[in-house]
Amino acid sequence: METILPIMNQYQDIETCVECSAKNLKNISELFYYAQKAVLHPTGPLYCPEEKEMKPSCIKSLTRIFKVSDLDNDGILNDNELNFFQRTCFNTPLAPQALEDVKNVVRRNMTDGVKDNGLTLKGFLFLHTLFIQRGRHETTWTVLRRFGYDDDLELTQDYLFPLIKIPPDCTTELNHNAYLFLQSVFDKHDKDRDCALSPEEVKDLFKVFPYMPWGPDVNNTVCTNDQGWITYQGYLSQWTLTTYLDVQRSLEYLGYLGYSIIYEQESQAAAITVTRNKRIDLQKKQTQRSVFRCNILGSRGSGKSGFLQAFLGRNLQRQRKIREDHKSFYAISTTYVYGQEKYLLLHEVMPDFDFLSEADLACDVVCLVYDINNPRSFEYCAKVYKQYFIDSKTPCMLIAAKSDLHEVRQHCSLSPLEFCRKHKLHPPQPFTCNTTEAPNKDIYTRLTTMAMYPHMAQADLKNSTFWLRASVGATVFAVLGFAMYRALLKQR
């Protein structure tokens, strides 16, 4: 000891010293045990011997583990939560007396380690400091590794990004269990029970993340309440959007929240449903999908952004309050088609006619938006349709935006109605978001229906009687409009 102690004191990286003899077989098994322990359960990343306390990275990791395990978010691990934690990490629950013994150890050493008969974060961190100081590093390492951490106390790539195969023409959606989990996360952080997350509640929810995943554009992508806070529906919509557009990011986020641990699954991949190929849906003329994508195309100033925001219940007056740097090119919410709840995802495509990527064209339904008050607006829609969608099986709808304004003649060889008749499209649908109340949402239900049943939309349009009805309707509308106009003139 006289020889070894000065060396151990000089070099803090030396964790253990074992006196052994190969000749006499003294402490040989102990030697290999401590050698293995130094590699599998090292002290270095966890504890600073000079300061006699855990390192900041270890405290940060254990704090996240505490928050994930605190299922009701009351800042305390009660007996049920402690038992779940114990079973998750060590495959065995603690006996009632053992639980009390653990809490008594904490009580004897600190005043605020136990509260309301539950373990606080300070008590939880103290216990792990005690384990390390008593040479039981394996206990802390078992917990860290169960929650996805590597030897450098970083979440592993295998934990955050489990393998998931997505064949071509298939999409990704959250399954029922994933929505239940996300609902529990929402309820856990919605402290005031107003079915919306305030900025403080959003920050609290994402404390288990290494960064803030949602920017200010999210509030203009999903439904919010009058205060601009994300509602329960908006919260689920944003998760649905992320899963559809970037499933790897969704897996990463679910990993931070501890989905696979709380729901005792092998990985977050268990939360994802990969839909079947769209071609099979078309052949069978039915779909099991819940999320449908609608790409919005139109010239600049045609009203695309207004169309997106109207889907979230915002009229023109509310839209004018949105900051330019907070705008979003996506909007997602729910619609009901024949009693079934579906998500409609709107994506505003930038109007670069010379180049539209495959991503710009890949969708379930297309919206071509033109401004009825701009004589050159429809020309863009006509060109895009003829170049990209004339031979496509993707259903298309023309939106006559800003219908509250005076309609002018379009500088195009065919009027919008004649163009639709020639190409067997639905007549242009009038739309305005310049309303006193929330804009009408019927048009979004129609778009979702077209996306769900593209074969029905095409069959309807090929039927000549459809166009006869449309033409007669347009004529009657024009006659009535002219009669009303003359009547108003007489009154004046």
Side-chain angles (χ1 to χ4, degrees):
M1 292 298 288
E2 288 175 3
T3 310
I4 288 299
L5 273 177
I7 298 172
M8 290 187 74
N9 288 332
Q10 185 179 352
Y11 300 99
Q12 295 292 339
D13 289 344
I14 299 174
E15 292 184 11
T16 317
C17 172
V18 182
E19 186 181 8
C20 60
S21 167
K23 182 178 179 181
N24 300 328
L25 300 181
K26 181 184 178 183
N27 287 342
I28 299 300
S29 60
E30 285 81 358
L31 172 69
F32 282 101
Y33 168 76
Y34 284 111
Q36 277 188 318
K37 189 175 179 181
V39 175
L40 297 175
H41 310 115
T43 309
L46 307 182
Y47 190 73
C48 180
E50 294 96 336
E51 303 290 336
K52 291 186 170 53
E53 59 184 32
M54 284 192 294
K55 289 187 174 178
S57 56
C58 182
I59 292 172
K60 184 181 176 182
S61 302
L62 289 172
T63 301
R64 173 185 163 267
I65 290 168
F66 180 90
K67 284 191 71 66
V68 168
S69 304
D70 182 13
L71 301 177
D72 56 8
N73 199 32
D74 64 351
I76 299 165
L77 294 185
N78 59 37
D79 286 0
N80 288 333
E81 289 165 342
L82 280 169
N83 254 319
F84 180 78
F85 171 81
Q86 178 75 12
R87 197 174 71 248
T88 299
C89 296
F90 306 103
N91 296 317
T92 177
L94 278 172
Q97 187 55 50
L99 266 176
E100 281 306 310
D101 292 344
V102 167
K103 285 184 273 192
N104 285 332
V105 168
V106 177
R107 281 192 190 101
R108 284 197 297 269
N109 287 276
M110 59 194 315
T111 54
D112 50 357
V114 177
K115 182 182 173 185
D116 298 334
N117 204 35
L119 205 60
T120 65
L121 174 60
K122 284 186 178 179
F124 183 74
L125 293 175
F126 167 77
L127 271 181
H128 282 283
T129 306
L130 203 63
F131 290 143
I132 295 164
Q133 288 174 342
R134 292 184 178 180
R136 289 178 55 193
H137 315 82
E138 63 272 17
T139 304
T140 301
W141 274 115
T142 300
V143 170
L144 288 164
R145 288 183 176 134
R146 177 66 185 91
F147 278 79
Y149 290 94
D150 62 14
D151 291 350
D152 298 317
L153 299 187
E154 297 287 342
L155 290 170
T156 66
Q157 293 295 295
D158 290 343
Y159 173 77
L160 289 177
F161 306 104
L163 186 66
I164 183 169
K165 292 182 180 178
I166 306 161
D169 285 332
C170 297
T171 58
T172 44
E173 300 177 2
L174 294 165
N175 60 29
H176 180 63
N177 279 341
Y179 280 116
L180 287 178
F181 171 74
L182 292 170
Q183 181 182 339
S184 70
V185 172
F186 182 93
D187 292 341
K188 174 177 170 177
H189 293 90
D190 182 21
K191 292 287 193 181
D192 52 11
R193 295 286 178 264
D194 62 347
C195 286
L197 294 177
S198 69
E200 291 73 27
E201 288 169 342
V202 171
K203 281 181 187 174
D204 186 43
L205 192 155
F206 290 126
K207 275 183 180 173
V208 294
F209 285 57
Y211 57 88
M212 173 57 77
W214 290 359
D217 59 313
V218 171
N219 295 59
N220 299 313
T221 304
V222 299
C223 292
T224 56
N225 64 10
D226 292 337
Q227 293 164 285
W229 299 352
I230 296 169
T231 62
Y232 171 68
Q233 182 192 332
Y235 162 83
L236 292 182
S237 296
Q238 179 62 24
W239 277 98
T240 304
L241 172 81
T242 306
T243 306
Y244 185 94
L245 295 178
D246 189 352
V247 70
Q248 292 298 321
R249 182 153 295 189
S250 192
L251 291 170
E252 179 191 356
Y253 292 174
L254 288 168
Y256 292 137
L257 290 172
Y259 172 81
S260 60
I261 293 153
I262 303 300
Y263 268 52
E264 302 180 69
Q265 300 287 342
E266 189 176 332
S267 74
Q268 295 89 265
I272 307 299
T273 295
V274 179
T275 64
R276 71 183 179 189
N277 193 299
K278 288 182 186 177
R279 291 176 190 169
I280 298 172
D281 283 354
L282 280 169
Q283 288 169 6
K284 294 186 177 290
K285 297 182 179 179
Q286 59 179 3
T287 182
Q288 300 298 318
R289 289 159 59 213
S290 298
V291 187
F292 298 91
R293 177 169 176 159
C294 172
N295 283 352
I296 315 292
L297 294 101
S299 60
R300 292 187 189 280
S302 59
K304 301 186 297 297
S305 299
F307 188 72
L308 260 70
Q309 290 302 311
F311 185 36
L312 306 176
R314 294 170 190 146
N315 60 18
L316 193 60
Q317 188 178 358
R318 281 187 67 185
Q319 291 177 30
R320 283 174 176 154
K321 296 175 184 176
I322 299 172
R323 283 173 48 175
E324 192 64 34
D325 56 334
H326 291 179
K327 283 188 175 179
S328 173
F329 291 108
Y330 292 94
I332 183 169
S333 189
T334 52
T335 60
Y336 285 86
V337 177
Y338 302 129
Q340 300 176 64
E341 185 183 59
K342 301 293 179 184
Y343 282 95
L344 179 63
L345 163 58
L346 304 181
H347 172 47
E348 180 183 342
V349 178
M350 295 305 290
D352 296 320
F353 180 75
D354 296 333
F355 177 75
L356 288 178
S357 66
E358 284 189 23
D360 296 331
L361 301 173
C363 58
D364 303 299
V365 61
V366 173
C367 243
L368 299 168
V369 181
Y370 71 97
D371 175 0
I372 67 164
N373 193 238
N374 181 349
R376 297 196 174 276
S377 187
F378 178 71
E379 186 181 15
Y380 177 88
C381 296
K383 283 183 178 178
V384 166
Y385 179 80
K386 285 191 277 190
Q387 181 159 341
Y388 293 104
F389 300 107
I390 194 166
D391 295 321
S392 167
K393 290 185 178 179
T394 307
C396 296
M397 180 186 280
L398 270 163
I399 304 293
K402 307 182 185 179
S403 60
D404 57 302
L405 301 178
H406 173 65
E407 184 169 6
V408 298
R409 180 181 172 81
Q410 295 292 321
H411 292 178
C412 196
S413 56
L414 295 174
S415 72
L417 185 61
E418 289 167 340
F419 183 88
C420 290
R421 187 180 298 133
K422 179 183 177 181
H423 296 286
K424 293 186 169 56
L425 297 171
H426 282 283
Q429 303 294 303
F431 179 82
T432 181
C433 54
N434 191 9
T435 55
T436 51
E437 301 297 324
N440 190 294
K441 290 191 177 182
D442 289 349
I443 199 162
Y444 303 104
T445 305
R446 266 177 264 164
L447 283 168
T448 313
T449 309
M450 288 171 70
M452 285 179 70
Y453 307 107
H455 58 285
M456 285 175 63
Q458 288 165 357
D460 275 351
L461 294 166
K462 285 174 184 173
N463 186 343
S464 59
T465 58
F466 174 89
W467 283 107
L468 183 62
R469 293 197 304 272
S471 301
V472 169
T475 306
V476 169
F477 184 78
V479 169
L480 284 172
F482 183 67
M484 287 177 70
Y485 174 70
R486 288 187 65 179
L488 284 169
L489 276 180
K490 281 181 181 178
Q491 282 179 4
R492 284 181 185 177

